[in-house]
């Protein structure tokens, strides 16, 4: 395959892509950070609960 033809086709395909606006990008970024924070809190609570159950079962707590 001809490299020049390849890059010409890549450029054509790239021009067809609908790029997100700055506002859409910011909204998506904020949503990702919020979801990451929520999932982190969820797993922290689950970890704490499971740790407490294991300590209670094994009698390792004070």
């Amino acid at each position: 395959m001809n490299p020049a033809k390849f890059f010409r086709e890549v450029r054509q395909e790239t021009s067809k892509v609908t790029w997100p606006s700055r506002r859409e990008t910011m909204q998506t970024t904020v949503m990702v950070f919020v979801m990451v924070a929520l999932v982190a809190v969820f797993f922290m609570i689950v970890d704490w609960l499971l740790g407490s159950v294991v300590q209670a079962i094994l009698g390792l707590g004070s």
Side-chain angles (χ1 to χ4, degrees), residues 46-58:
V46 169
D47 181 54
W48 176 75
L49 287 172
L50 290 174
S52 297
V53 169
V54 169
Q55 282 184 348
I57 290 172
L58 298 178

Side-chain angles (χ1 to χ4, degrees), residues 10-51:
V10 168
R11 186 171 180 162
Q12 286 175 344
E13 290 300 318
T14 304
S15 68
K16 295 177 186 178
V17 173
T18 304
W19 299 101
S21 68
R22 184 177 184 90
R23 184 171 187 260
E24 290 172 330
T25 303
M26 289 302 294
Q27 285 179 336
T28 305
T29 301
V30 169
M31 295 274 295
V32 167
F33 279 112
V34 168
M35 291 305 297
V36 166
L38 289 174
V39 170
V41 169
F42 170 76
F43 282 116
M44 182 179 69
I45 292 169
V46 169
D47 181 54
W48 176 75
L49 287 172
L50 290 174

